[in-house]
Amino acid sequence: MKNIFRLLLLGLGVLHLVSCESLVKVDPPVTRTNGDNLFEYDAVVISAVTGLYTSMSSAGFNTVGDIRALNACASLYTDDLALFSSPNVIRAFQDYYGNALSGLVNGTGGNFWNTIYTSIYRCNSIIEGLSHSNNISAAVSKQLMGEVLFVRALNYYFLINLYGDVAWVTSTDYTINSVVRRTNKADILKQLVADLLQARDLLSPNFLDATLLKTIVNGRFRPTSYAASALLTKLYLLQENWTEAEAEASRIIANSQLFILDSLNSVFLTTSKEAIWQLQVVSGSSATEEGNRFILPATGPSENMPFFLSPRLVGAFEKNDRRRQLWVGTARSYNYPYKYKVANATGTPTEALVVFRLADVYLNRAEARAQSNMLDLAMQDVNKVRARAWLPQIAGVDKSKLLDTILHERQVELFTEFANRFIDLKRFKKIDQVMPSVCVEKGTIWQPYFSFFPLSASELQANPNLVQTPGY
């Protein structure tokens, strides 16, 4: 990973201080950030951590490799999105839609590996600095350590779902990182659970302001202990630890003063009561990338606006499903994601990118309960989500049918959101049943090893201890 883990100067690419006004309203007391002064001042290290969120929020879909781009790339890879047919559409989008990821030098399959490890390196830099600093106030240090452990775990969550066994890297030492081997996915899951349990205990249960010392009412832009619980729920499901998955989900759901299933038109607003963690809009257009790139003009898709919903997804909605009415737009004969409704605007953003939200947690708990044979309780959770969509309640279904129902609800509830469909199909062990017919519709052929992405040959050349993803 020579091109990923080379030693970066803290004042340059690792910890840039791009500020979101709601997140950081204080000017750093120094004119530059470097290894000598970064961990001397609360305001500067807060800004450095904020830079992690700013990077995630400002990345566009064209930055293939950033986890933000999963909303497009992973949706193309499965059956959420279709792609406008033209040789001039960005090649990476064509590769993801055609399930034709390349393991060649600089191949598209390695983009997420490259970029996510860069983010992990930044997290490791901050963790090391916080661990050795005596100058940051205790409350700020505690919250920031929890935030960075959470962000690092989130990056690893996507890595293991995209690549399977990955390299477990927790240092900034190039001599170690440049020869690291892949670690078994199950072992990494154990490490991530341990990190997130620590993060959950360090993080405030309240949404904090820019100083990290005061609770705020509007803006869910900094992770809380509930964000850690939301990610823990997903990790426990991957481990098939149904009891702990249910417990972490229940911790969130029980806090009805903070989290409710909001109206369908309010889920993605900055004022959403369903959001567990959001990323603030930092672009000049005051719109999310999802709104800007998914909302089609009246003329329909084009080379520059190539995404639209797959007919398979649109056909999956039940009759009278309000999500079909409110979250799907139409331009000519093309349907497009319309969860985010602002394509371009000025002024204060009204929408924010939702990373974790309550409906996902309800369906996660339903899955854990169904797997534990608590079928009636699982159906109650599913029916909470269905009721908001104005759909009839389900009752009296067996375990197999209930799990299929949960997977279906996740499809129509969470489409184009952070690779949920791709991850769900694998976790439910349905990907090799669903994707062959999807690929026929795309004009391609599914192979079982497509469940994981390849590494770029340039990574294998830089680190002889790495091995290619099986099948590529």
Side-chain angles (χ1 to χ4, degrees), residues 372-391:
S372 299
N373 296 308
M374 296 187 289
L375 303 187
D376 288 341
L377 290 175
M379 282 184 274
Q380 288 178 21
D381 285 340
V382 174
N383 285 332
K384 286 276 190 180
V385 178
R386 288 177 62 84
R388 179 174 65 175
W390 295 16
L391 292 176

Side-chain angles (χ1 to χ4, degrees), residues 52-204:
L52 296 173
Y53 312 134
T54 304
S55 293
M56 296 169 65
S57 184
S58 61
F61 289 169
N62 290 2
T63 312
V64 175
D66 190 278
I67 63 174
R68 172 70 168 276
L70 287 170
N71 291 340
C73 293
S75 298
L76 289 169
Y77 199 75
T78 53
D79 55 358
D80 279 355
L81 289 178
L83 190 69
F84 182 74
S85 180
S86 168
N88 295 323
V89 171
I90 291 174
R91 183 70 212 180
F93 295 150
Q94 296 183 53
D95 286 352
Y96 279 94
Y97 181 63
N99 303 99
L101 299 183
S102 169
L104 299 177
V105 173
N106 299 320
T108 48
N111 287 340
F112 284 98
W113 177 282
N114 239 0
T115 305
I116 290 175
Y117 271 114
T118 300
S119 179
I120 288 171
Y121 181 94
R122 294 173 62 187
C123 291
N124 291 340
S125 298
I126 299 172
I127 290 170
E128 288 178 1
L130 287 171
S131 299
H132 296 96
S133 175
N134 296 317
N135 298 309
I136 305 301
S137 62
V140 168
S141 181
K142 178 182 176 183
Q143 174 69 19
L144 291 181
M145 181 64 80
E147 289 188 21
V148 181
L149 286 171
F150 164 78
V151 173
R152 187 175 71 179
L154 180 66
N155 278 283
Y156 270 114
Y157 167 75
F158 286 115
L159 270 178
I160 62 175
N161 279 292
L162 297 179
Y163 294 96
D165 298 344
V166 300
W168 178 246
V169 177
T170 59
S171 79
T172 58
D173 187 337
Y174 168 71
T175 61
I176 297 174
N177 297 337
S178 62
V179 294
V180 70
R181 301 174 184 272
R182 285 189 172 203
T183 299
N184 182 273
K185 175 182 173 182
D187 292 333
I188 289 182
L189 276 170
K190 292 177 184 177
Q191 296 277 359
L192 295 181
V193 167
D195 279 357
L196 275 173
L197 288 173
Q198 182 183 358
R200 185 194 63 186
D201 293 341
L202 291 170
L203 289 165
S204 171

Side-chain angles (χ1 to χ4, degrees), residues 345-399:
T346 58
T348 303
T350 58
E351 296 180 331
L353 176 61
V354 177
V355 185
F356 292 117
R357 60 187 181 93
L358 191 61
D360 183 20
V361 174
Y362 265 113
L363 294 173
N364 286 335
R365 189 171 74 171
E367 180 183 342
R369 286 175 162 178
Q371 294 285 12
S372 299
N373 296 308
M374 296 187 289
L375 303 187
D376 288 341
L377 290 175
M379 282 184 274
Q380 288 178 21
D381 285 340
V382 174
N383 285 332
K384 286 276 190 180
V385 178
R386 288 177 62 84
R388 179 174 65 175
W390 295 16
L391 292 176
Q393 307 285 281
I394 60 169
V397 298
D398 63 21
K399 180 178 179 179

Side-chain angles (χ1 to χ4, degrees), residues 115-314:
T115 305
I116 290 175
Y117 271 114
T118 300
S119 179
I120 288 171
Y121 181 94
R122 294 173 62 187
C123 291
N124 291 340
S125 298
I126 299 172
I127 290 170
E128 288 178 1
L130 287 171
S131 299
H132 296 96
S133 175
N134 296 317
N135 298 309
I136 305 301
S137 62
V140 168
S141 181
K142 178 182 176 183
Q143 174 69 19
L144 291 181
M145 181 64 80
E147 289 188 21
V148 181
L149 286 171
F150 164 78
V151 173
R152 187 175 71 179
L154 180 66
N155 278 283
Y156 270 114
Y157 167 75
F158 286 115
L159 270 178
I160 62 175
N161 279 292
L162 297 179
Y163 294 96
D165 298 344
V166 300
W168 178 246
V169 177
T170 59
S171 79
T172 58
D173 187 337
Y174 168 71
T175 61
I176 297 174
N177 297 337
S178 62
V179 294
V180 70
R181 301 174 184 272
R182 285 189 172 203
T183 299
N184 182 273
K185 175 182 173 182
D187 292 333
I188 289 182
L189 276 170
K190 292 177 184 177
Q191 296 277 359
L192 295 181
V193 167
D195 279 357
L196 275 173
L197 288 173
Q198 182 183 358
R200 185 194 63 186
D201 293 341
L202 291 170
L203 289 165
S204 171
N206 303 313
F207 292 100
L208 300 178
D209 72 351
T211 68
L212 304 187
L213 300 176
K214 297 179 181 179
T215 301
I216 58 175
V217 176
N218 293 319
R220 300 184 169 193
F221 304 134
R222 296 207 88 96
T224 66
S225 64
Y226 295 105
S229 287
L231 184 51
L232 271 169
T233 301
K234 290 179 175 290
L235 294 177
Y236 283 135
L237 289 178
L238 290 175
Q239 289 183 318
E240 300 185 359
N241 187 340
W242 316 126
T243 300
E244 293 301 331
E246 185 199 15
E248 291 298 331
S250 294
R251 177 175 180 264
I252 301 168
I253 293 168
N255 192 344
S256 57
Q257 290 186 326
L258 199 57
F259 305 111
I260 62 171
L261 285 176
D262 217 333
S263 68
L264 290 173
N265 278 329
S266 301
V267 172
F268 303 97
L269 298 179
T270 56
T271 55
S272 171
K273 301 303 181 187
E274 179 167 338
I276 298 169
W277 183 45
Q278 304 168 311
L279 289 172
Q280 185 180 17
V281 172
V282 296
S283 69
S285 69
S286 296
T288 63
E289 179 77 354
E290 288 67 23
N292 186 258
R293 296 299 299 277
F294 282 156
I295 297 175
L296 291 177
T299 52
S302 62
E303 293 173 354
N304 294 323
M305 300 286 289
F307 312 111
F308 57 97
L309 290 175
S310 74
R312 178 181 286 255
L313 172 63
V314 176

Side-chain angles (χ1 to χ4, degrees), residues 336-348:
Y336 59 84
Y338 196 43
K339 291 179 172 179
Y340 297 89
K341 304 189 185 306
V342 179
N344 195 10
T346 58
T348 303

